[in-house]
Amino acid sequence: ACVTSAELERFTFVGALMGAAARFNGFMELDLPALVWRQILGEQVGVREIYAIDADIASHLEAVSAIDNEDVWNAQTEINPVCWSIRFVDGTVSALRANSERRVGYSERAEYVATVERVWLEQFKPQIDAICAGFNSNFPVTVARLQTWRELERSVCGVSDVSVDALQRIAKYEGSYSADSDYIKMFWKCVREMTGTQRRQLLGFCWGRSRLPANPTEPFTIDSQGGADDHKLPQSHTCCEFDC
């Protein structure tokens, strides 16, 4: 629904930030569906991408495509009519033909599915186009299209699953700690036993972000707070502003 010029300018700005992030080691935390990333790369999208946003529509289209018997079609549509209209994600209903209440005939199934896919995807076109314009202003299109959409997502947003191995590679120990300290060995053992959600929460608490960059370089510093004994806990930070 955000289609005013001011709103689309914001989408363009986000796209420009995404392009900058792709150039400079993925610093944005965005949870966007494959539909967005694939369209930035100029790839075709369809029912598979629709599933991530509107599972009801995607399941409906797959069910329509799966019926290959006219009698079965007539029996099912008698109970659950399929008409020439579509419901968008904001709840509004749009006509696909002049008479939106007319039922879809058995021979019209393929046309109906193709039309629903096209019209459903068009509801995001102004925003996607604005994001693409911003992204392409900061990142070469030809270079972007050498990547898969997952590679592009990682280059912009970093890695969604916090890798313990990656954290250990950038770990820096201060005070009385070292990689061989018993406390440190217990710390990494605990981190490995955490769920993915818990590791993201740990990273957010120490770093202020829940994703690692695609190629992390900032040190993950663990400090003994001046000494290690049973009454002191370690602290960890990646810069002076985020201590734990």
Side-chain angles (χ1 to χ4, degrees):
C2 298
V3 293
T4 67
S5 59
E7 288 167 335
L8 293 178
E9 283 180 5
R10 293 172 187 166
F11 280 98
T12 302
F13 178 66
V14 170
L17 285 179
M18 291 166 67
R23 297 175 70 102
F24 301 109
N25 201 25
F27 55 76
M28 295 189 73
E29 291 192 49
L30 295 171
D31 289 313
L32 298 174
L35 177 144
V36 176
W37 301 108
R38 286 187 181 278
Q39 291 190 86
I40 289 175
L41 296 177
E43 297 179 359
Q44 294 295 316
V45 292
V47 172
R48 181 180 299 177
E49 287 72 37
I50 292 174
Y51 249 114
I53 301 172
D54 193 333
D56 289 339
I57 285 288
S59 298
H60 169 67
L61 294 179
E62 287 192 335
V64 169
S65 300
I67 299 176
D68 58 1
N69 180 285
E70 187 169 4
D71 292 335
V72 172
W73 172 264
N74 292 335
Q76 290 198 10
T77 54
E78 187 65 31
I79 301 171
N80 296 305
V82 178
C83 300
W84 287 95
S85 62
I86 181 176
R87 183 181 297 276
F88 293 130
V89 292
D90 64 359
T92 60
V93 177
S94 177
L96 300 174
R97 287 192 173 179
N99 182 4
S100 62
E101 296 182 358
R102 186 173 76 79
R103 294 188 181 186
V104 177
Y106 176 73
S107 62
E108 300 172 316
R109 292 171 302 128
E111 180 186 359
Y112 168 78
V113 169
T115 303
V116 170
E117 275 191 28
R118 176 179 54 80
V119 174
W120 189 94
L121 290 169
E122 283 177 352
Q123 68 185 304
F124 309 115
K125 190 176 188 304
Q127 295 86 358
I128 296 291
D129 286 349
I131 289 174
C132 289
F135 182 88
N136 295 335
S137 70
N138 272 339
F139 198 88
V141 178
T142 52
V143 175
R145 292 184 179 179
L146 294 174
Q147 306 178 73
T148 66
W149 74 265
R150 290 192 182 277
E151 290 171 336
L152 178 62
E153 180 188 29
R154 284 195 294 271
S155 68
V156 173
C157 304
V159 183
S160 59
D161 183 32
V162 179
S163 167
V164 181
D165 290 336
L167 272 182
Q168 282 190 279
R169 282 196 298 271
I170 61 173
K172 178 183 177 183
Y173 306 105
E174 294 184 349
S176 61
Y177 285 152
S178 70
D180 296 324
S181 300
D182 288 339
Y183 275 27
I184 295 302
K185 290 177 181 178
M186 286 189 289
F187 170 76
W188 291 119
K189 182 177 183 293
C190 290
V191 174
R192 288 188 182 278
E193 292 174 353
M194 289 178 176
T195 65
T197 298
Q198 289 171 331
R199 284 197 293 268
R200 287 192 292 272
Q201 290 172 339
L202 170 69
L203 193 67
F205 185 62
C206 299
W207 206 345
R209 59 182 294 165
S210 61
R211 287 175 177 250
L212 279 175
N215 297 295
T217 56
E218 288 293 324
F220 184 77
T221 305
I222 304 176
D223 191 347
S224 62
Q225 296 193 42
D229 58 45
D230 291 341
H231 302 289
K232 295 182 178 179
L233 295 175
Q235 67 175 1
S236 177
H237 57 85
T238 51
C239 73
C240 59
E241 297 180 2
F242 296 106
D243 293 347
C244 75

